[in-house]
Amino acid sequence: MAFVRLTGVTYLDPELVHDSYVLFTGADSVTRLIDLAGAVLHEWPYAGVPPRILDPALNNGLVGDVGVQLSASGDPRGGIYANGTIGQLDWAGERRWEWGAEAPDGVARQNHDWELLPNGNRLILVTVPRVVPTLGDSVVGDQGLYEVAPDGAIVWSWLAGDHLEEFGFSDEGWAALRETVARDPEDPWGYLEMNSAKSLGPNRWHDVDPDGVFAPDNIMISFRKANIVALIDRSTGSPVWQCGPYYTAQAGAQHQRISVHKVPRPLDQTSGQHNPHMIAPGLPGAGNILIFDNQGGAGYPSAAIGIYAGSRVLEIDPVTSEIVWQYTAEDSGQPPWAFFSSFVSNAQRLPNGNTLITEGMQGRLFQVTPGGAVVWEYHSPYEGYGVAGEPEVTQIRVPGVDRLSLTPLVYRSQAVPFEWTPLRPSTISLPHIDLRRRN
């Protein structure tokens, strides 16, 4: 039986959209750069988790360089164990830098995130198989961070398992966490599923209070399975700012969580969130934190989720811990469940105030105005097979449970300024496209 779905660009409003290129890895493990008309302008035959075109200001003025995963580790578990080496390619696909052989055990196990730092080093989110005593005697995939110098040396490291007592788990939460680890210590996504890490960089809070917690080299991380977003002090390794894992809420409030639209209001329960990061200087909302709040099942113990499945993008003032802007499907006049990705996904603020959103499990990329109007929509046509729709897990681990399925999943996308590539934007005006209209 054949299934039909829309692919490519289905909507484009040239007057309201922020024009840029867009980079993403398809479920076929190829990384592509497209324009807003959906034309593929360049591609690299590698996956990125995530891929990223580098800012020439951090890359010695070089344009068109991309970071991707270059080789597999050969570990049959896949997921956070799958990556062998990570690297930087030039526009022609030649390797400028590769890392992994220098890592412990000779494999990078990079997953979920990485960043080129202003000092030329790279901040890499990695997996380290080891025993974490507070979780039991089993070897687990502990996730953490390495700062890696250009010569491959690890010059700083941080592992989540060394700091678990600092994240505020309740007694019930500790019991649920340990039971989860005991049930499946080799979970290919990790016991916390650390899914992002981003240094703050220059920001207005640090300008006002240089001795405060928002130092530019402090690192914002996310634990998807634990519903925690935290800011790690680079010098001590301890969290100095945090939201989650628990929030005070009245019984039943979860059913209205994604429908509440009054802002500002106090931050409420996030669940399964991805890609929290501070909006950079010069962009609308600079200094606030942008989060893709999946509202997918997560938490130790599990957070209550509403009956209307839907995701939301939140912009949070980190000082007041208030939601100051949000996007849900209802902001586009659709029911809450019309926008939903229970895992993966991200959001990126754009120079004109729009936001690029990756609804990852659907393979849908779209751009919204501050008022929630969709001004660009693209559905990835690139599919691949994976366990539970995850292209990074390709081998069945649990007979009778795991099976392969075809998926269009996109982990993250990146809006890329024209000047970051050797290409020159077309002088032809963007067309108005609307394939979504029903006659």
Side-chain angles (χ1 to χ4, degrees), residues 23 29-31 42-48 51-55 59 62-71 85-99 114 116 122 420-422:
L23 183 80
S29 298
V30 175
T31 296
H42 203 69
E43 63 182 45
W44 296 263
Y46 301 97
R52 189 172 288 142
I53 295 279
L54 299 181
D55 180 351
N59 193 33
L62 299 171
V63 298
D65 281 13
V66 67
V68 290
Q69 293 181 334
L70 293 174
S71 68
T85 61
I86 182 176
Q88 179 176 329
L89 305 179
D90 67 13
W91 188 253
E94 298 297 321
R95 301 186 185 195
R96 292 194 191 273
W97 184 80
E98 185 172 3
W99 182 80
W114 65 275
L116 179 61
R122 290 163 178 84
W420 287 17
T421 80

Side-chain angles (χ1 to χ4, degrees), residues 106-290:
V107 287
R109 299 193 187 95
Q110 178 273 333
N111 60 91
H112 287 100
D113 219 344
W114 65 275
E115 177 187 3
L116 179 61
L117 299 171
N119 64 3
N121 295 346
R122 290 163 178 84
L123 183 70
I124 302 176
L125 200 164
V126 298
T127 296
V128 178
R130 65 172 188 145
V131 173
V132 177
T134 53
L135 298 179
D137 298 327
S138 299
V139 174
V140 298
D142 198 16
Q143 290 174 276
L145 302 168
Y146 289 156
E147 182 178 342
V148 178
D151 65 1
I154 297 171
V155 298
W156 179 82
S157 64
W158 181 92
L159 292 176
D162 294 335
H163 298 272
L164 291 180
E165 295 89 345
E166 302 175 51
F167 289 106
F169 291 113
S170 64
D171 290 343
E172 187 181 2
W174 273 110
L177 177 53
R178 289 171 178 139
E179 289 169 3
T180 298
V181 169
R183 184 174 63 252
D184 188 5
E186 294 190 330
D187 182 338
W189 300 112
Y191 64 94
L192 292 176
E193 197 167 341
M194 183 175 172
N195 60 21
S196 67
K198 178 70 178 68
S199 62
L200 289 188
N203 63 86
R204 61 190 178 102
W205 312 112
H206 179 69
D207 293 342
V208 172
D209 182 10
D211 297 321
V213 301
F214 299 109
D217 61 350
N218 285 351
I219 301 164
M220 184 156 289
I221 63 170
S222 168
F223 296 141
R224 184 215 177 279
K225 282 194 174 81
N227 296 337
I228 290 173
V229 175
L231 184 61
I232 301 303
D233 186 294
R234 176 59 184 264
S235 61
T236 66
S238 296
V240 291
W241 179 95
Q242 184 172 325
C243 58
Y246 312 119
Y247 296 81
T248 301
Q250 294 181 338
Q254 69 271 18
H255 302 307
Q256 286 79 43
R257 189 179 299 147
I258 60 170
S259 299
V260 178
H261 52 83
K262 177 182 179 296
V263 293
R265 67 178 191 276
L267 177 63
D268 55 2
Q269 182 73 59
T270 64
S271 192
Q273 75 291 320
H274 280 73
N275 193 220
H277 62 279
M278 187 170 279
I279 299 172
L283 295 175
N288 291 336
I289 295 169
L290 201 61

Side-chain angles (χ1 to χ4, degrees), residues 294-346:
N294 299 72
Q295 288 293 301
Y300 296 116
S302 295
I305 300 296
I307 60 174
Y308 300 109
S311 297
R312 57 185 187 168
V313 176
L314 303 177
E315 181 180 336
I316 300 164
D317 182 318
V319 173
T320 65
S321 294
E322 288 185 319
I323 299 170
V324 295
W325 178 84
Q326 69 174 23
Y327 173 79
T328 73
E330 290 189 312
D331 295 305
S332 300
Q334 298 176 301
W337 55 84
F339 166 52
F340 182 50
S341 184
S342 65
F343 63 104
V344 298
S345 312
N346 75 306

Side-chain angles (χ1 to χ4, degrees), residues 24-41:
F24 68 97
T25 294
D28 60 351
S29 298
V30 175
T31 296
R32 296 176 175 87
L33 187 73
I34 64 171
D35 62 19
L36 295 192
V40 176
L41 305 177

